[in-house]
Amino acid sequence: MRQAARVGRLGMLAVGMSIGAALATTPQIASADSSTDPFSWLDQALSGLSVPAADAAALAALLVPMMVAAGHKKAYAAGLVAAGGIIAPVIPPSIGFVIFGVAAGVSISKLFLAGIFPGLMLGAGLCVAWWWVVRKENLTPPPRASFAEMAKAVIDGFWALMLPAIIVVGLRFGIFTPTEAAVVVAVYSLFVATCIYRDLKFSQIYGVFVSAAVTTSIVMFLVAAALVSSWLITVSEISTQIVVLLQPFMGNNILLMFAIMVIVVIVGTALDMTPTILILTPILMPIIKTAGIDPVYFGVLFIINNAIGLITPPVGVVLNVVCGVSNISMEDVIKGVWPFMIAQLVVLFLMVLFPPLVTVPARWFGGY
């Protein structure tokens, strides 16, 4: 019990540090003006609880106007940005993997490394969907950037590109644990944002710390409530009843995973990512263990499914954020996101049908 509690505390520390790193790289989230609204810090913290929403907000403000100016339809541009924003929980560092790892007792390092290739597959799926959507558009391509311009862009983005590389290399060669990786990411992000890119002013650092602390406390309250729910689920033997209900699928793991993924997709239309993870994990993990399914493989697909839930109407958090930032109606953004959501669901169910798409790259990265 003490060891489990220690692992849980370390996992939650990783959550806090990861949230701090996310807020350090998006200072506009942490710079609420409390002089005009005394509860603005809480609003910002609640919105920052979903890091994909913060990513989508930053990208939508920059990319959607550029894509519209290039001749693309605004609905599809907003839909692409929304769908791209939900890849964040799959590529390390991922708060979703940390929360699932703590709730399920699964190695967070293995989850991080196993999520790299599926995240790239989701990106490739978006590329194919975008090509299909714009194939009939009559666009005038912008002038190609010169080699010097491309080199300058790479140099300018070098410090940002180093962040995932540091995480992957550090975890792959055992240089640090996931909790230590979160600390490294937080310190590195703070240094790069303040001293190199200078997007974050020193006067904003206090706001970043406050927002990170408040957002982390919200996660802690959710975890505490989920532990109570988990105890009730155990006492009432709901997991056992669900195992009996899914018994006909137990002989075929692919069919079982397909049924579970459909259930999670349905739940994701009504619940946000963090509550879904905390509520469903203690229910589904006994089934996964009984069926002999790799918990790391299941964790990757479970988080991908929950991430897709962030763009499924009517509750999709990322959809609402993109609507507000892009100044577009919910009806239009729903129409625009459908092709990309379908592409991501196709990728998800390809991983259900062919588990080596997840497990083989995970072994290569050292996650197994």
Side-chain angles (χ1 to χ4, degrees):
M1 290 294 291
R2 289 181 179 178
Q3 181 67 18
R6 179 176 177 272
V7 172
R9 288 195 297 270
L10 291 175
M12 290 301 101
L13 177 60
V15 171
M17 288 295 176
S18 298
I19 290 171
L23 292 174
T25 54
T26 52
Q28 66 273 17
I29 297 173
S31 60
D33 185 1
S34 58
S35 62
T36 57
D37 180 4
F39 295 102
S40 59
W41 60 271
L42 181 59
D43 295 335
Q44 298 296 336
L46 289 171
S47 66
L49 183 58
S50 178
V51 174
D55 293 339
L59 292 174
L62 176 67
L63 296 180
V64 172
M66 294 174 58
M67 297 169 75
V68 172
H72 297 292
K73 295 180 180 179
K74 191 173 186 178
Y76 288 128
L80 176 64
V81 171
I86 67 166
I87 300 179
V90 186
I91 301 291
S94 165
I95 294 177
F97 279 145
V98 174
I99 296 175
F100 172 81
V102 171
V106 178
S107 169
I108 298 172
S109 295
K110 291 181 179 180
L111 289 168
F112 275 8
L113 295 170
I116 295 173
F117 187 73
L120 297 176
M121 286 185 62
L122 290 173
L126 291 183
C127 291
V128 174
W130 180 251
W131 167 80
W132 178 263
V133 166
V134 304
R135 71 191 189 284
K136 294 182 179 180
E137 291 185 358
N138 186 18
L139 302 173
T140 303
R144 292 182 61 87
S146 65
F147 179 79
E149 291 173 327
M150 290 188 289
K152 184 179 183 301
V154 172
I155 294 172
D156 290 342
F158 171 79
W159 295 100
L161 295 173
M162 283 296 295
L163 182 59
I166 291 172
I167 296 169
V168 172
V169 172
L171 293 175
R172 172 64 177 82
F173 294 100
I175 299 173
F176 41 63
T177 66
T179 303
E180 293 166 347
V183 176
V184 170
V185 167
V187 175
Y188 180 85
S189 300
L190 197 62
F191 171 75
V192 171
T194 55
C195 299
I196 296 179
Y197 292 133
R198 299 183 180 179
D199 292 329
L200 180 66
K201 299 177 182 178
F202 284 99
S203 60
Q204 294 176 301
I205 293 179
Y206 175 76
V208 169
F209 289 161
V210 171
S211 295
V214 173
T215 306
T216 304
S217 68
I218 295 172
V219 177
M220 297 300 185
F221 277 116
L222 289 173
V223 171
L227 290 175
V228 176
S229 301
S230 178
W231 179 80
L232 292 173
I233 289 168
T234 303
V235 171
S236 60
E237 298 184 348
I238 292 178
S239 298
T240 303
Q241 297 173 19
I242 294 179
V243 170
V244 173
L245 182 65
L246 294 175
Q247 192 67 41
F249 302 101
M250 288 296 185
N252 189 324
N253 285 349
I254 292 178
L255 193 59
L256 176 63
M257 283 293 295
F258 185 88
I260 291 175
M261 290 299 108
V262 170
I263 293 172
V264 177
V265 167
I266 295 172
V267 173
T269 62
L271 286 179
D272 197 8
M273 183 173 182
T274 302
T276 303
I277 295 172
L278 294 173
I279 293 171
L280 291 186
T281 297
I283 296 176
L284 296 177
M285 282 307 295
I287 301 172
I288 297 302
K289 293 177 180 178
T290 302
I293 297 173
D294 186 346
V296 174
Y297 163 73
F298 168 74
V300 171
L301 267 61
F302 183 58
I303 294 300
I304 291 175
N305 202 332
N306 278 281
I308 294 174
L310 296 173
I311 57 171
T312 54
V315 182
V317 175
V318 172
L319 286 185
N320 284 279
V321 170
V322 172
C323 282
V325 173
S326 303
N327 193 23
I328 185 174
S329 68
M330 176 61 78
E331 181 181 359
D332 288 339
V333 78
I334 289 175
K335 291 178 181 178
V337 82
W338 273 114
F340 310 109
M341 186 173 66
I342 291 173
Q344 291 177 324
L345 286 172
V346 168
V347 171
L348 172 65
F349 285 105
L350 279 176
M351 295 177 194
V352 172
L353 293 173
F354 305 102
L357 290 175
V358 178
T359 57
V360 172
R363 292 190 184 98
W364 186 84
F365 279 114
Y368 283 82

